[in-house]
Amino acid sequence: MSQLLETNSTISLNRVHKAGDGCVALVLHAHLPYVRHNEQAERLEERWFYEAMTETYLPLLDMFDRLERDRVPYRLTMTLTPTLLAMMDDPLMQLRYERYLSRSVELAQSEITRTAAQPELQAVADMYAQHWSYLLQRFREWDRSIIPQFKRHYEAGHLELMTCALTHAFLPFLKHSALAQAQIEYGIMEHERHFGVRPDGIWLPECAYAPHLSKLLQQSGIRYFIVDQHALQQAEPMPVNDTFVPITTEDGVYAFPRDAMSSHQVWSSHEGYPGDPDYREYYRDIGFDLGWYDEDEWNYIKPHLLADGARINTGLKYYRITGSNGEKQPYCPEWARARTVDHARHFIHSRIQQLRHAKDNVTGIPIVLCPYDAELFGHWWYEGPQWIEAVFREWHEMQQQGNQTLSFVSPLDYVNAVPNVQQAEMSMSSWGRGGYAEVWLQEKNDWIYKQLHKAEENLLTVLQRHANDWGYSTIRERLANQSIRELMLAAASDWAFILDADTVPSYAIERTNHHLERCQILLHMLEHGIYNLTELEKFEADTPCFPNLHYRTLLDAMTNEATKTLNSRSNSSTSAAPSSSDHQLMLSSLFAYIRQQLPTSPSQQDANDRNSLTQNSAWNKKRILMLAWEFPPLVIGGLSRAVYDLSRYLVKRDCEIHIVTREVPGTPLYEKMDGIHVHRVPLAPSMTEIGFMDWIFQMNASFTICTDALITEGIHFDFIHAHDWLVYLAAQDLKEAYQLPLVVTIHATEHGRNHGAIHTDMQQRIHEMEYELTQKAEHVIVCSQAMKREVERIFDLPPMKVSVIPNGVECVSTISSSAHNHSPDHISLPIRSTDIDNIRVFRSTIAKPEDKIIFFIGRLVYEKGVQVLLSSLKLVQERVPNVKLVIAGAGPMASELKRLTAELGLSHCVHFTGFVNDEERDLLFDITDVSVFPSLYEPFGIVALEAMGRGVPIVVSDTGGLAEIIDHNHDGYKALCGHTESLAWHITDLLLYPDKAEQFAKQAYRKVTTLYDWDVISLSTRQVYEGVIAQ
Amino acid sequence: MVQPSINNRHYTANQSNIIHLMVQQPTVLFGYWEVSKRLKSLIERHYRSSWHELRRVARLYQYTYSESDSAPLIYYDAEVGNSESWYFRHVVPRHRYALDYGFINHNHQFVSLLRSTLVGTPRNDPDWIVEVRHESSTIHECSPSDSQHQQYGQSNYSPFQQFSTYTLYSDN
């Protein structure tokens, strides 16, 4: 094999390097959409194939044979697209074509009789009769298989063969690059099946290129492709050799530009060769000409038209183009043949001129690449194959005369011979009208893309979801393969092209819808495990093409795409550009990631199965959707930490927790934290101002879209646990959509935050959402008895519906471990810090050694009561002058509190730290003499527990959850709520009597470690869940 | 087309919140979108307004071609009514674009529902110039004052400074 490659490479080298002025590559793109119709032989569209066989493919092969026979060297490149090959390879199509050609011969023979009175026409009829009889004879000699004939010429080294995307899809318009990669790879596989080798080149359908295709082509081992000329003219950097030397993409794939001038000479219907008056006129076919005024004539031609009498081309065309005016004159084959020779000479002469001109301006060997639709030759331009023959014969003669001016090569020869060309980046382009995509995307055909893209999504989703349960069911594999086949057939660029040209739009619409519909039916079967074999067999029988198409190829492409998306995300996350990241893309990359990460195979059980399972008394592992607007590392209030701690302890109690929360810059979209599945949903940032409630809406909408996607991925939930009104919309929507039970934790109420008064519209709105949320919920959890009373009262909730489960706290270990001391009376304080020096240094930055430190931590909002603490500090100073107050936290009231501090003359002894992290908070606890929590409203008071867990003596205000935590004068002090003097007195007492303070701290620590243990709390929560499921 | 069965909620749920932007030529983009019934009812519930009464807008953001730039240079608003697709015929070659679909809230602010991926328009060749047809649309410069995203990107907090944890505090 390597020897063969080497030989080919040497031949290529000679071909290219022996060219005096440069190279010419003739490229024919032979393509027809897949127009096989199993049950209907008389489809107009199926005749496209038969006509092309008679007029193009067989004449080309015959021409190759003549050149070979006469030892005329030629070098031509062709694409035979997979759909065309599939029809050429199809026994039914072969049989039908033989019948078609036989009838054409019969018609031509009967035409000899009919035209007896018109000798000039009769001669033409005779020409057709002889030509077609000859082709029929050859077709039969080849056992109706013409692919081996192309292969023979390929193997002889005269014909270079390229592949094409499987169904000729307009690749830039496929939504997922996995589908583009699969189109390319399946095309390559078909090529290999027919010709025994993987191709070096690809014809991108419609020469449509987009930058993302470069990598895909390179990954498939493609070495070259063809683009329109302007793709190179617009490339960056601008190619130094104009369009006479190909460039490579950034992935090293050669891009050959179509030569516009030679293209014009052949394509143009007016100035081009095919418009010559001596050439055959395409538009005068007896299928259209006969039977207008004579019934006998109509009866004569009718059997050769469509069954419904619709007129069609029979191939019998008697006239030459003649002139632009006057009556058409009979066709004279000899004259036409003479013109092909003239035109061949003209073509070669023009190329020589072109190359000579180019040679002066380019470095390296110039190449003119002339690509054409193969069907132009023979079908439209009847003499086209003769012209090609004449070109090569003329070239041969020149060479024999010693004229080595130009060399006919294939692009592959050039790639082999010229290993280094300029690299440049090309934009999207095509060879269609306008140079871009307006043929395939405009008002007449734009509707197809939404349908196609939806089918893409659906296909990829279903395939991915079942990626792990393939391999044992042939039927499932067949369903998957056929669904891909149908989608790809629907995506052929031909349908959009036909809609643009308005030739047979109903057929294009029918074909698009037909394949999409079948794709959906198949995916539906796969998804639901209900297989209609009869239907599957019918679909397969209707499209017996691409037998090697296997879903694995697409799955591999999907993995490749997911990896690239993730890589591009991780790259982009390094730049501070969250706004440019696209919402949908991020969501899809999130899901791609989830697919890879989640170990659990998706549940195949439907809702009924799951319900019956829940009837079992035993607690099967439950999957819980937690909706929380904040989650670590995003910590704003106590909710984030509480949800995190609860979740990780629930994980230990046979719960599978999925948190849906919002994205935090710099953190992964999905991660597993302590066994918790955390899905962080990106929110599309607004470029212009929106209202707060708009933002809430957007967040909730994103949560629902994310959850839908999770569920679509097969992650079915047993119930929802929502935290606070901020996720009300999503909770309510998902509950209704999936009929899931809802548990709600109310961490605080708007009513409470505003001291029982709802003033503004916003407050009213929040209050209403809280009300609705608790009404929709099967069960409501609150953190204190005070909150229970509050929610029962303001939300009209029956006591049975509300449970009190306190928040927990994690404590540091004690100084003397329990192994050393078992006495229940002995209470130890926790280790506040082992690094005493570090503490001393830190303390010295805030206070003098003799100073006493009071510490507040919390959000700087009104209900936290910091303003009360500041006022009482004045009173404390009266008895404890050397006191410092440290205020840690951030919030909307920060500047107001600072102003108040200054007004009270306390600036010298009050220190605002701003927001502190957990580590800084613990350091502050460690230097604190008394922690104070002077809240006016406090549903729970987690920071008080944290202080207690750190061994810090505390004073709280006698309100809400705080009041329930502290036993007054036993493990702390409760001051009257909002009462400056009461607060000052209790703080002063603890500062003046450190022994008492230490005793309180020890008692408080014991309470925290027994009552507010997360293990206990998670058990209580699971009991609530069990109760809800039992309902 | 085959309709998914009624009880196949998951199937329908994922089908219809979509937006996609496509390049037709250097100066013309085509976008299409679809909003699910559920999302529409979410909007109706939250905004207490029928979907059809809301002014629906497709907003096209223009970025420079270079990927390192994050903020859009400009955006175009097209009032699209009931249409689920739109041609933007005034775009600039060799730029990047993203499309939002959303609606105007009661305070005349644009609320985005869906955002497309970024697409790049090709460079234009004078030989291939296509006649530019202007659509009825409004054009806005993106100024720092009406752009909140930078602030959002730098903070873990919500884009509302006065918002703290559970409620929106007044400025006073």
Side-chain angles (χ1 to χ4, degrees):
Chain A
M1 191 62 182
S2 61
Q3 239 179 349
L4 180 71
L5 281 175
E6 203 175 311
T7 317
N8 284 343
S9 189
T10 314
I11 294 169
S12 292
L13 230 63
N14 287 339
R15 279 193 184 116
V16 174
H17 288 295
K18 77 182 180 187
D21 290 326
C23 304
V24 176
L26 271 184
V27 179
L28 300 186
H29 172 56
H31 165 66
L32 283 177
Y34 193 69
V35 287
R36 178 192 196 273
H37 290 270
N38 215 12
E39 289 141 9
Q40 296 160 289
E42 275 297 307
R43 288 297 289 245
L44 166 72
E45 294 77 16
E46 205 168 280
R47 291 176 61 98
W48 298 341
F49 173 69
Y50 307 142
E51 288 173 15
M53 283 287 284
T54 304
E55 292 166 342
T56 301
Y57 312 137
L58 291 180
L60 281 174
L61 281 172
D62 194 42
M63 183 262 286
F64 296 158
D65 285 349
R66 283 197 302 274
L67 291 172
E68 191 182 42
R69 182 196 64 203
D70 297 345
R71 296 178 182 282
V72 175
Y74 68 95
R75 189 65 171 152
L76 184 80
T77 306
M78 279 188 83
T79 331
L80 292 166
T81 64
T83 47
L84 179 60
L85 287 168
M87 291 189 290
M88 286 176 170
D89 195 36
D90 188 319
L92 180 71
M93 295 295 274
Q94 291 170 350
L95 194 67
R96 283 181 183 172
Y97 174 62
E98 187 183 6
R99 202 182 306 147
Y100 168 93
L101 188 54
S102 303
R103 292 191 65 198
S104 297
V105 172
E106 284 166 23
L107 178 63
Q109 284 166 344
S110 61
E111 278 293 282
I112 297 174
T113 312
R114 192 186 67 80
T115 55
Q118 298 160 286
E120 284 176 315
L121 299 190
Q122 193 184 38
V124 182
D126 191 50
M127 175 196 78
Y128 285 124
Q130 285 187 37
H131 179 55
W132 291 345
S133 299
Y134 169 71
L135 292 182
L136 182 59
Q137 180 203 331
R138 300 218 71 187
F139 188 62
R140 285 173 174 158
E141 284 169 7
W142 292 335
D143 291 331
R144 306 188 190 119
S145 295
I146 68 166
I147 297 173
Q149 300 308 313
F150 283 106
K151 187 180 178 188
R152 191 167 60 77
H153 290 287
Y154 162 74
E155 286 172 344
H158 300 307
L159 181 65
E160 171 62 19
L161 291 172
M162 304 162 74
T163 190
C164 188
L166 186 73
T167 60
H168 213 261
F170 193 88
L171 297 181
F173 283 171
L174 298 180
K175 189 172 179 186
H176 297 85
S177 68
L179 265 306
Q181 189 166 9
Q183 277 269 355
I184 293 165
E185 193 53 42
Y186 288 137
I188 289 171
M189 286 158 63
E190 278 299 286
H191 186 96
E192 195 173 7
R193 188 170 70 85
H194 289 296
F195 301 114
V197 288
R198 278 177 77 87
D200 290 287
I202 192 168
W203 178 277
L204 294 179
E206 319 297 0
C207 289
Y209 176 78
H212 72 278
L213 297 175
S214 163
K215 176 63 79 186
L216 305 182
L217 295 172
Q218 183 251 341
Q219 284 173 341
S220 289
I222 291 293
R223 297 172 69 197
Y224 71 90
F225 62 95
I226 294 159
V227 289
D228 210 301
Q229 196 170 37
H230 67 290
L232 254 73
Q233 288 164 338
Q234 298 298 316
E236 292 178 61
M238 177 75 96
V240 293
N241 290 316
D242 196 4
T243 55
F244 287 103
V245 174
I247 58 162
T248 58
T249 67
E250 57 179 8
D251 302 292
V253 188
Y254 280 65
F256 285 87
R258 175 169 84 129
D259 177 59
M261 187 197 285
S262 55
S263 179
H264 189 72
Q265 279 167 350
V266 177
W267 271 111
S268 170
S269 53
H270 297 296
E271 302 147 61
Y273 305 142
D276 189 281
D278 285 342
Y279 286 146
R280 196 194 69 172
E281 169 63 62
Y282 176 81
Y283 291 104
R284 288 295 300 276
D285 191 291
I286 62 167
F288 289 89
D289 283 359
L290 295 188
W292 290 101
Y293 310 108
D294 182 329
E295 194 174 345
D296 288 344
E297 203 177 74
W298 171 246
N299 289 332
Y300 167 79
I301 196 66
K302 194 166 177 278
H304 298 280
L305 307 180
L306 288 186
D308 62 0
R311 288 184 175 272
I312 47 172
N313 283 309
T314 62
L316 277 146
K317 302 167 199 284
Y318 286 110
Y319 299 97
R320 55 191 154 96
I321 291 169
T322 323
S324 51
N325 299 315
E327 202 175 329
K328 298 285 179 191
Q329 298 300 311
Y331 182 61
C332 178
E334 290 74 26
W335 293 7
R337 185 176 297 277
R339 294 304 288 150
T340 60
V341 175
D342 294 342
H343 286 146
R345 284 181 184 146
H346 178 264
F347 181 80
I348 289 178
H349 179 72
S350 306
R351 296 295 76 74
I352 290 171
Q353 296 295 321
Q354 200 179 2
L355 287 168
R356 279 189 182 148
H357 177 72
K359 205 180 171 194
D360 297 337
N361 300 310
V362 306
T363 49
I365 303 164
I367 179 171
V368 171
L369 190 129
C370 319
Y372 309 103
D373 272 338
E375 292 74 21
L376 172 74
F377 295 83
H379 180 63
W380 266 87
W381 181 16
Y382 184 63
E383 299 79 6
Q386 290 173 38
W387 173 80
I388 295 174
E389 184 177 348
V391 166
F392 287 119
R393 285 185 186 278
E394 186 67 22
W395 177 46
H396 182 48
E397 255 177 55
M398 280 169 56
Q399 285 182 308
Q400 284 188 321
Q401 289 162 9
N403 183 344
Q404 300 282 338
T405 320
L406 114 178
S407 184
F408 276 92
V409 302
S410 87
L412 177 63
D413 298 328
Y414 196 95
V415 172
N416 284 333
V418 186
N420 293 310
V421 294
Q422 188 186 351
Q423 185 178 307
E425 189 188 327
M426 295 179 292
S427 316
M428 174 202 177
S429 66
S430 85
W431 76 344
R433 182 179 71 240
Y436 299 95
E438 64 170 281
V439 169
W440 298 275
L441 175 65
Q442 33 90 344
E443 283 83 350
K444 287 182 201 159
N445 56 23
D446 56 24
W447 59 272
I448 67 173
Y449 295 103
K450 192 193 276 188
Q451 311 299 329
L452 286 169
H453 294 166
K454 278 185 174 185
E456 275 188 32
E457 300 278 357
N458 201 6
L459 174 73
L460 297 187
T461 304
V462 172
L463 285 190
Q464 185 63 59
R465 188 178 318 152
H466 298 281
N468 297 326
D469 50 65
W470 298 122
Y472 49 81
S473 159
T474 315
I475 295 171
R476 292 178 68 76
E477 298 202 336
R478 280 168 60 195
L479 287 167
N481 295 343
Q482 186 62 22
S483 62
I484 297 169
R485 195 174 284 118
E486 298 287 355
L487 174 59
M488 295 219 158
L489 287 168
S493 72
D494 308 273
W495 313 139
F497 179 85
I498 291 169
L499 290 169
D500 170 75
D502 221 2
T503 46
V504 279
S506 58
Y507 181 71
I509 294 168
E510 177 196 322
R511 286 296 300 275
T512 308
N513 288 336
H514 168 84
H515 292 295
L516 285 176
E517 185 177 327
R518 287 189 164 188
C519 178
Q520 299 289 23
I521 290 170
L522 293 161
L523 292 176
H524 198 260
M525 287 189 208
L526 266 178
E527 190 65 349
H528 295 271
I530 304 162
Y531 312 136
N532 184 336
L533 268 184
T534 316
E535 222 165 9
L536 171 63
E537 278 162 11
K538 176 170 169 34
F539 297 175
E540 286 173 337
D542 283 348
T543 53
C545 50
F546 325 135
N548 289 356
L549 187 155
H550 198 272
Y551 67 88
R552 277 277 163 217
T553 308
L554 179 56
L555 275 180
D556 291 346
M558 288 160 70
T559 312
N560 189 23
E561 183 181 4
T563 312
K564 273 194 284 190
T565 310
L566 281 172
N567 287 345
S568 70
R569 176 177 151 71
S570 62
N571 291 339
S572 69
S573 69
T574 54
S575 66
S579 62
S580 68
S581 49
D582 124 66
H583 191 213
Q584 204 177 44
L585 180 73
M586 288 165 90
L587 281 177
S588 63
S589 66
L590 167 67
F591 305 138
Y593 194 65
I594 291 166
R595 284 176 192 141
Q596 290 175 350
Q597 298 288 315
L598 288 176
T600 40
S601 67
S603 168
Q604 295 300 310
Q605 301 156 339
D606 64 16
N608 290 336
D609 288 341
R610 295 190 70 80
N611 288 342
S612 67
L613 272 176
T614 60
Q615 303 302 316
N616 297 342
S617 54
W619 169 272
N620 295 300
K621 189 163 188 168
K622 295 295 178 216
R623 196 179 272 151
I624 298 139
L625 171 69
M626 287 257 188
L627 298 172
W629 89 289
E630 57 166 325
F631 193 79
L634 177 65
V635 178
I636 293 163
L639 189 148
S640 170
R641 186 82 204 188
V643 174
Y644 167 65
D645 285 329
L646 174 64
S647 298
R648 64 199 175 95
Y649 278 88
L650 280 170
V651 167
K652 295 176 187 169
R653 295 198 174 273
D654 260 351
C655 295
E656 184 180 317
I657 306 288
H658 290 256
I659 304 275
V660 170
T661 188
R662 65 196 172 104
E663 191 204 12
V664 186
T667 55
L669 293 176
Y670 168 81
E671 72 174 317
K672 211 166 172 187
M673 286 172 70
D674 300 307
I676 311 162
H677 300 275
V678 185
H679 310 282
R680 297 195 181 87
V681 188
L683 308 185
S686 266
M687 305 296 176
T688 50
E689 195 177 333
I690 53 170
F692 170 65
M693 277 296 169
D694 300 317
W695 185 77
I696 292 292
F697 165 77
Q698 285 182 329
M699 181 177 71
N700 277 271
S702 293
F703 284 5
T704 63
I705 291 171
C706 171
T707 307
D708 285 346
L710 289 174
I711 290 170
T712 308
E713 290 301 321
I715 303 168
H716 300 273
F717 295 104
D718 292 290
F719 49 88
I720 305 168
H721 188 161
H723 295 266
D724 266 6
W725 71 270
L726 292 124
V727 296
Y728 156 69
L729 273 179
Q732 171 267 339
D733 170 72
L734 292 166
K735 176 184 166 58
E736 280 181 13
Y738 299 104
Q739 303 289 306
L740 293 173
L742 172 65
V743 175
V744 165
T745 296
I746 296 290
H747 294 258
T749 67
E750 186 69 4
H751 192 265
R753 280 185 291 267
N754 294 290
H755 320 293
I758 300 290
H759 296 293
T760 67
D761 288 347
M762 178 73 77
Q763 290 164 352
Q764 180 61 31
R765 193 72 207 280
I766 293 171
H767 175 70
E768 283 167 13
M769 285 202 246
E770 287 169 348
Y771 180 85
E772 285 295 321
L773 185 63
T774 56
Q775 297 301 310
K776 299 276 181 200
E778 268 69 27
H779 203 84
V780 176
I781 296 172
V782 291
C783 53
S784 64
Q785 291 295 337
M787 273 294 285
K788 180 170 164 50
R789 287 190 296 275
E790 184 184 329
V791 298
E792 284 171 7
R793 189 179 79 252
I794 63 176
F795 301 137
D796 296 327
L797 297 174
M800 286 287 287
K801 194 174 168 177
V802 187
S803 292
V804 177
I805 302 177
N807 287 331
V809 68
E810 288 242 279
C811 306
V812 290
S813 56
T814 55
I815 291 166
S816 52
S817 73
S818 55
H820 291 108
N821 198 327
H822 295 281
S823 164
D825 299 330
H826 183 93
I827 304 166
S828 302
L829 273 176
I831 303 164
R832 288 172 68 170
S833 177
T834 50
D835 190 350
I836 304 299
D837 290 340
N838 190 24
I839 296 279
R840 196 175 295 129
V841 171
F842 178 70
R843 196 182 190 284
S844 68
T845 63
I846 292 171
K848 294 181 193 135
E850 64 276 17
D851 287 347
K852 298 279 186 186
I853 295 179
I854 303 171
F855 180 43
F856 166 86
I857 179 164
R859 284 172 300 117
L860 303 186
V861 292
Y862 181 80
E863 72 254 26
K864 293 293 176 191
V866 186
Q867 62 281 18
V868 181
L869 175 58
L870 284 169
S871 301
S872 54
L873 186 62
K874 290 289 284 183
L875 303 177
V876 174
Q877 278 182 327
E878 289 173 8
R879 297 197 55 200
V880 189
N882 55 334
V883 70
K884 284 275 191 300
L885 170 61
V886 178
I887 297 173
M893 213 180 162
S895 51
E896 192 184 335
L897 289 172
K898 284 175 186 166
R899 185 169 47 78
L900 180 65
T901 305
E903 279 173 14
L904 293 170
L906 294 169
S907 298
H908 67 286
C909 61
V910 177
H911 179 71
F912 286 90
T913 65
F915 181 83
V916 295
N917 60 30
D918 288 359
E919 200 181 334
E920 292 162 334
R921 176 202 62 194
D922 288 345
L923 267 176
L924 286 162
F925 276 141
D926 291 349
I927 61 165
T928 292
D929 294 290
V930 178
S931 250
V932 184
F933 302 100
S935 301
L936 304 177
Y937 170 75
E938 191 60 80
F940 184 66
I942 191 85
V943 280
L945 285 181
E946 283 165 352
M948 289 158 73
R950 197 80 193 173
V952 182
I954 62 171
V955 177
V956 303
S957 59
D958 190 6
T959 184
L962 286 174
E964 293 166 34
I965 291 171
I966 292 295
D967 273 341
H968 186 65
N969 206 23
H970 176 68
D971 47 23
Y973 275 139
K974 288 196 274 196
L976 294 174
C977 186
H979 197 289
T980 309
E981 289 78 9
S982 171
L983 190 63
W985 187 90
H986 287 106
I987 295 169
T988 308
D989 192 61
L990 288 184
L991 290 177
L992 290 177
Y993 303 104
D995 290 349
K996 187 194 276 183
E998 187 180 334
Q999 192 55 36
F1000 281 8
K1002 284 177 180 173
Q1003 293 294 349
Y1005 179 71
R1006 184 161 77 162
K1007 180 185 269 180
V1008 168
T1009 50
T1010 51
L1011 293 182
Y1012 297 95
D1013 178 56
W1014 275 114
D1015 209 36
V1016 178
I1017 290 160
S1018 64
L1019 179 63
S1020 311
T1021 309
R1022 212 192 83 164
Q1023 282 163 353
V1024 168
Y1025 292 164
E1026 286 169 10
V1028 166
I1029 286 167
Q1031 279 175 22
Chain B
M1 298 296 291
V2 177
Q3 291 299 317
S5 60
I6 295 291
N7 59 4
N8 183 13
R9 296 164 186 282
H10 307 165
Y11 182 88
T12 47
N14 195 36
Q15 284 303 295
S16 41
N17 287 313
I18 47 171
I19 187 161
H20 194 57
L21 188 58
M22 300 166 75
V23 179
Q24 192 218 48
Q25 50 179 293
T27 55
V28 181
L29 293 171
F30 171 74
Y32 71 79
W33 53 82
E34 193 172 286
V35 172
S36 70
K37 278 187 183 169
R38 265 177 57 207
L39 187 52
K40 283 178 190 169
S41 67
L42 210 66
I43 295 160
E44 290 181 338
R45 198 185 300 253
H46 189 71
Y47 288 92
R48 297 170 178 177
S49 177
S50 125
W51 168 253
H52 292 284
E53 284 166 12
L54 292 166
R55 281 166 56 205
R56 278 146 288 161
V57 164
R59 173 171 287 190
L60 186 72
Y61 300 100
Q62 182 187 316
Y63 298 79
T64 63
Y65 199 77
S66 149
E67 283 183 60
S68 57
D69 291 342
S70 59
L73 304 168
I74 202 172
Y75 63 82
Y76 309 85
D77 276 352
E79 288 228 18
V80 294
N82 288 325
S83 179
E84 291 195 324
S85 64
W86 204 257
Y87 286 91
F88 296 88
R89 298 181 190 277
H90 42 59
V91 306
V92 187
R94 200 172 158 67
H95 276 70
R96 283 174 194 271
Y97 289 89
L99 181 66
D100 271 14
Y101 174 67
F103 58 91
I104 304 297
N105 70 11
H106 304 311
N107 295 319
H108 312 290
Q109 295 163 323
F110 174 71
V111 181
S112 169
L113 293 171
L114 302 164
R115 175 160 303 168
S116 78
T117 48
L118 276 169
V119 299
T121 48
R123 272 182 65 178
N124 206 2
D125 182 317
D127 294 338
W128 297 98
I129 283 179
V130 180
E131 195 182 325
V132 176
R133 185 147 66 86
H134 286 283
E135 288 290 319
S136 60
S137 64
T138 44
I139 301 175
H140 304 274
E141 297 286 341
C142 283
S143 67
S145 62
D146 64 2
S147 171
Q148 295 202 349
H149 66 278
Q150 286 173 337
Q151 184 185 340
Y152 172 69
Q154 288 159 2
S155 165
N156 279 350
Y157 285 78
S158 80
F160 300 89
Q161 288 184 330
Q162 291 307 307
F163 176 68
S164 178
T165 314
Y166 308 110
T167 191
L168 190 68
Y169 291 85
S170 70
D171 286 330
N172 301 323

